Amino acid sequence: MHFTPQDLPRTTVADGADPLWETVLSLHTLRESRADPALAAWRRHAVWHGPGPLRTLFPLVPPRGYFPDFLTPPAAANGVEPALEAVMSTPRTRLRAELAALADGIHTTGQRALPGWTADIAAGDPAALRHLARSLRTYHHHAIAPGWPRIAEQVGRDRALRRHALGAAGAEAMLRTFGPAMRWRPPVLEVGYPVERELHLQGRGLVFVPSYFCRDVPVALADGALPPVLVYPAAANDATAPGDAEGPRLRTYGSGALRDVPTLIGARLRSGA
């Protein structure tokens, strides 16, 4: 990421956890094959309660690679409902372009082709967009909202750390706090990103978004023309599942609890339960 002198004073940290970034990135976590005991019970809960939304959301958010930028609009900073309104108001040209990019990415990586109903979203069909918004809302309600206080707490701790550096010594001092995943070599922020790319901020600044469900490497919007955002794993991960307060089902921890999650995903999606 290439900074200019104008970018530094316009670089900041988001005010809190972003509900749609957490929602979308959790869909990656849900399908991770590696054992993560802290999230085992959360994964089982999310799959058990969300087969309907998952049938819609999984094709749009593959396990790896590109997913459409319109799923994570800036309006999410104001809450879930403003974000969903923004998703449903995405211009048709952008829907077509981003779903075409998704189809290309899926083809390149050998993943399953997009289902036919995504053509209705690409065409801006109001009913299809309402269904997408309803799926995001329902999944967020069951999988993300119950653990939101814990998500917000962890993100808040990270935000306080970055904001302290920013307020005490300026943007460059804050940029030096992100190692080792990011390295500040003025005027470039080097990011351990999954694909090779360069982003020139060109005076627009950058918003850092700490995230609970961003688990490995930072994530940026694919379209460099959009307002620059960099989502990164929130520090001070206490290895506690976000849904820990959801009851006995969410307290069944241990790596063994993860073994049947892929089977459970398939069974729930096939059953239509």
Side-chain angles (χ1 to χ4, degrees):
M1 290 186 164
H2 297 260
F3 285 70
T4 68
Q6 292 74 35
D7 289 304
L8 291 172
R10 295 173 181 166
T11 294
T12 188
V13 182
D15 289 336
D18 184 298
L20 283 203
W21 273 110
E22 297 295 350
T23 296
V24 169
L25 293 177
S26 76
L27 293 166
H28 290 160
T29 304
L30 198 58
R31 289 175 287 183
E32 286 178 352
S33 58
R34 66 185 182 184
D36 187 346
L39 290 173
W42 169 80
R43 290 175 68 191
R44 291 181 60 85
H45 175 84
V47 171
W48 187 261
H49 289 279
L54 293 179
R55 280 192 293 272
T56 298
L57 300 178
F58 273 172
L60 298 176
V61 185
R64 59 189 181 277
Y66 174 86
F67 58 84
D69 290 332
F70 69 76
L71 293 174
T72 54
N78 299 317
V80 175
E81 291 307 319
L84 297 180
E85 287 294 331
V87 170
M88 290 188 290
S89 301
T90 305
R92 191 174 304 172
T93 53
R94 184 175 166 192
L95 292 170
R96 280 200 302 267
E98 294 187 10
L99 285 171
L102 176 61
D104 289 344
I106 288 174
H107 176 74
T108 300
T109 56
Q111 300 176 68
R112 184 177 299 178
L114 288 178
W117 53 259
T118 59
D120 294 332
I121 296 178
D125 178 71
L129 288 168
R130 286 195 299 270
H131 177 75
L132 171 59
R134 186 163 55 249
S135 297
L136 286 165
R137 181 186 295 110
T138 302
Y139 175 75
H140 180 275
H141 174 75
H142 288 299
I144 306 300
W148 192 254
R150 181 155 291 153
I151 292 170
E153 179 185 5
Q154 180 166 314
V155 167
R157 286 198 301 267
D158 183 281
R159 177 179 177 273
L161 170 70
R162 314 302 175 185
R163 283 287 181 95
H164 176 76
L166 179 64
E172 291 198 66
M174 182 184 73
L175 292 173
R176 293 189 183 97
T177 68
F178 289 106
M182 295 180 255
R183 181 176 298 178
W184 175 237
R185 292 183 174 177
V188 175
L189 180 66
E190 298 177 349
V191 180
Y193 205 66
V195 296
E196 191 73 26
R197 63 176 296 195
E198 293 191 9
L199 178 63
H200 293 264
L201 300 179
Q202 299 176 322
R204 295 173 294 169
L206 178 65
V207 177
F208 286 94
V209 181
S211 167
Y212 183 94
F213 280 107
C214 185
R215 289 264 148 180
D216 293 313
V217 296
V219 181
L221 295 170
D223 186 350
L226 294 172
V229 169
L230 188 64
V231 183
Y232 65 93
N237 189 337
D238 59 4
T240 306
D244 191 30
E246 265 295 290
R249 181 189 301 279
L250 294 190
R251 295 198 183 101
T252 310
Y253 292 108
S255 59
L258 280 173
R259 295 190 189 114
D260 60 346
V261 167
T263 302
L264 182 59
I265 289 175
R268 294 292 287 171
L269 295 185
R270 286 192 299 272
S271 70

